[in-house]
């Protein structure tokens, strides 16, 4: 019941082995092992909504909702479901990918999921806390959060569904994306989309590619670039970086080729340095994101773009020159001040001196 490596001297029990081999925390290793051994974890307070127990009702609700949405996309005869399937086909998403990512669809009904969960004896209060239902302030009733949207489930590293992202099917809908609110099992900014699927490849290649959106991640993954994750927002957070750093220190940022994407990249760079990551920045032609680029030019062209990277320093310097201009004294002063902020975050004295 122990392991020992005679090469490096590392040893321990089954929990330590799993923590090191799969880069899990102690709690995560316990959950994985308990599931394998069919052991019910009872040592955590069942009134604690953050319990790692798989029988936590919030995990159960999300699991039921995920299967409901997924079944609708695959089998529902409603015209809107057929439209959703055609939409995904037009974006090049295959059936295999739909099944791998558990992509679903929410019908354009106010109580579709709500009615389904009520039949499963789930209370309205729990639905609201989980985030799949919303309370109507005036009518003292509830309705579905997601309606007429493609549904992308978000999983934790134990394979449990913790939240959802919903993309509009009707382009006239004012909100392109609606995401689950924070809940007892989901904190925005602490998770990365597709990390559960991409983790083995990230560890094998010792590199992660970080993109912005769901399809920006799914399309390259489907094309064979499977060390890719999405940030679930416009900028990486410290919590996301720490989670990713468990599997690799080598991170390539590839956000959309637009001003918003460039600003998101810049905001992420210094945070990555503070967490002692080795950062590179890849770029795409103006007007492209990873989804459109892979569909138009293919996987090999995408890999070439990832290989043609800027150092963090060069990327930021280039953008600062574009923003402030390098001819005047004031512009040079602003650029120097902003670059020194980044230089100060490098841990190596040699690197700091060279960049100065």
């Amino acid at each position: 019941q122990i392991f020992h490596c005679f090469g490096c001297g590392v040893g321990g029990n089954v929990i330590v082995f799993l923590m090191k081999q799969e880069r899990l925390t102690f709690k995560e290793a316990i959950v994985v092992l308990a599931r394998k051994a069919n052991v019910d974890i009872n040592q955590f307070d069942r009134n604690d909504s953050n319990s790692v127990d798989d029988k936590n009702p919030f995990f159960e609700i999300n699991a039921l909702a995920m299967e409901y949405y997924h079944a609708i996309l695959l089998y529902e005869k409603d015209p809107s479901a057929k439209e959703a399937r055609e939409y995904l086909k037009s974006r090049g998403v295959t059936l295999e990918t739909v099944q791998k990512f558990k992509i679903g669809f929410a019908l354009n009904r106010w109580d579709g999921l709500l009615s389904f969960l009520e039949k499963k004896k789930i209370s309205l209060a729990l639905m609201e806390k989980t985030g799949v239902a919303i309370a109507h302030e005036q009518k003292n009733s509830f309705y579905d959060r997601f309606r007429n949207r493609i549904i992308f489930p978000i999983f934790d590293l134990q394979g449990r569904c913790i939240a959802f992202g919903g993309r509009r099917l009707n382009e006239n809908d004012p909100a392109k994306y609606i995401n689950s609110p924070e809940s007892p099992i989901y904190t925005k900014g602490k998770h990365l989309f597709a990390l559960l699927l991409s983790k083995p490849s990230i560890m094998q290649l010792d590199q992660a590619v970080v993109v912005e959106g769901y399809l920006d991640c799914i399309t390259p993954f489907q094309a064979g670039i499977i060390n890719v994750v999405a940030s679930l927002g416009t900028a990486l957070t410290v919590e996301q970086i720490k989670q990713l750093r468990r599997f690799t220190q080598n991170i390539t940022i590839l956000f959309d080729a637009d001003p918003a994407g460039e600003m998101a990249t810049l905001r992420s760079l210094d945070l990555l340095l503070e967490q002692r990551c080795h950062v590179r920045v890849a770029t795409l032609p103006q007007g492209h994101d990873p989804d459109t680029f892979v569909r138009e030019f293919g996987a090999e062209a995408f890999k070439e773009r990832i290989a043609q990277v800027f150092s963090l320093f060069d990327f930021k310097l280039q953008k600062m020159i574009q923003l402030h201009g390098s001819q005047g004294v004031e512009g040079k002063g602003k650029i120097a001040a902003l670059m020194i902020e980044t230089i100060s975050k490098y841990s190596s004295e040699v690197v700091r001196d060279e960049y100065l």
Side-chain angles (χ1 to χ4, degrees):
Q1 300 298 310
I2 64 169
F3 78 98
H4 181 79
C5 174
F6 291 93
C8 65
V10 171
N13 60 18
V14 64
I15 299 171
V16 174
F17 177 81
L18 202 60
M19 289 171 66
K20 291 186 177 295
Q21 181 70 11
E22 298 295 330
R23 319 286 172 89
L24 301 178
T25 64
F26 176 79
K27 262 189 183 181
E28 290 167 348
I30 290 292
V31 170
V32 171
L33 291 167
R35 191 180 294 141
K36 282 180 179 289
N38 197 28
V39 172
D40 188 12
I41 303 173
N42 292 313
Q43 65 264 48
F44 296 98
D45 182 1
R46 289 197 176 278
N47 294 319
D48 177 12
S49 60
N50 293 310
S51 168
V52 297
D53 190 346
D54 284 342
K55 293 180 180 175
N56 183 312
F58 299 105
F59 292 126
E60 180 189 359
I61 292 168
N62 276 345
L64 288 168
M66 178 187 67
E67 294 299 338
Y68 169 81
Y69 292 136
H70 188 56
I72 285 175
L73 180 64
L74 291 179
Y75 310 116
E76 179 63 50
K77 295 180 180 179
D78 187 278
S80 63
K82 292 180 180 178
E83 185 183 349
R85 291 191 284 270
E86 289 303 316
Y87 170 80
L88 289 170
K89 283 180 186 177
S90 73
R91 299 292 294 261
V93 180
T94 66
L95 176 60
E96 181 184 0
T97 298
V98 166
Q99 292 171 329
K100 186 183 291 287
F101 284 86
K102 284 288 187 178
I103 300 171
F105 179 66
L107 293 169
N108 193 20
R109 297 176 187 167
W110 291 96
D111 62 349
L113 176 64
L114 193 147
S115 297
F116 172 79
L117 292 177
E118 281 189 314
K119 291 175 184 175
K120 300 289 184 181
K121 309 299 183 185
I122 305 295
S123 72
L124 292 169
L126 278 175
M127 289 186 219
E128 183 186 16
K129 284 184 180 179
T130 309
V132 296
I134 300 174
H136 197 296
E137 294 179 2
Q138 296 177 335
K139 295 184 179 180
N140 195 27
S141 61
F142 293 82
Y143 58 92
D144 288 359
R145 177 177 297 276
F146 300 103
R147 302 179 305 282
N148 201 35
R149 288 180 178 271
I150 306 287
I151 302 296
F152 300 99
I154 300 166
F155 296 92
D156 65 11
L157 287 172
Q158 286 75 56
R160 301 172 299 196
C161 180
I162 54 175
F164 301 95
R167 190 202 187 281
R168 68 187 178 193
L169 191 60
N170 183 349
E171 293 301 320
N172 293 322
D173 194 316
K176 185 175 182 180
Y177 282 96
I178 290 178
N179 299 304
S180 292
E182 293 198 356
S183 74
I185 59 172
Y186 175 66
T187 303
K188 186 180 178 182
K190 282 192 174 182
H191 302 275
L192 289 155
F193 180 71
L195 182 56
L196 177 68
L197 292 173
S198 62
K199 181 179 74 169
S201 178
I202 289 172
M203 289 193 292
Q204 182 183 357
L205 299 173
D206 194 19
Q207 183 198 29
V209 179
V210 182
V211 298
E212 282 187 64
Y214 301 105
L215 286 169
D216 290 335
C217 177
I218 289 170
T219 301
F221 191 101
Q222 181 178 277
I225 300 99
I226 57 177
N227 60 324
V228 60
V229 296
S231 61
L232 295 171
T234 56
L236 281 172
T237 65
V238 172
E239 290 83 2
Q240 288 173 323
I241 294 167
K242 285 181 177 178
Q243 190 177 59
L244 198 53
R245 196 178 178 278
R246 287 160 55 183
F247 309 108
T248 183
Q249 289 181 288
N250 302 308
I251 297 172
T252 299
I253 301 292
L254 181 55
F255 286 168
D256 294 357
D258 56 27
E262 289 178 351
M263 292 309 297
T265 302
L266 289 173
R267 285 195 297 271
S268 304
L269 296 183
D270 288 351
L271 287 176
L272 286 159
L273 279 183
E274 287 174 357
Q275 296 302 316
R276 304 205 170 188
C277 295
H278 305 305
V279 192
R280 301 185 302 173
V281 181
T283 60
L284 295 174
Q286 195 68 32
H288 276 288
D289 56 35
D291 170 47
T292 61
F293 187 87
V294 171
R295 285 192 285 127
E296 185 169 339
F297 301 105
E300 290 306 314
F302 187 76
K303 289 177 182 177
E304 288 175 12
R305 298 299 298 211
I306 293 174
Q308 298 167 2
V309 291
F310 291 92
S311 71
L312 180 154
F313 183 88
D314 289 339
F315 178 81
K316 184 170 183 178
L317 181 58
Q318 182 189 78
K319 296 305 169 188
M320 292 302 99
I321 290 172
Q322 290 175 4
L323 189 62
H324 299 292
S326 60
Q327 299 305 311
V329 174
E330 287 189 8
K332 286 182 178 179
K334 286 179 180 177
I335 292 167
L338 291 165
M339 294 308 298
I340 285 171
E341 286 180 12
T342 295
I343 292 169
S344 68
K345 293 180 175 19
Y346 282 94
S347 58
S348 167
E349 242 182 89
V350 176
V351 173
R352 288 200 302 270
D353 286 346
E354 285 297 311
Y355 279 138
L356 281 169

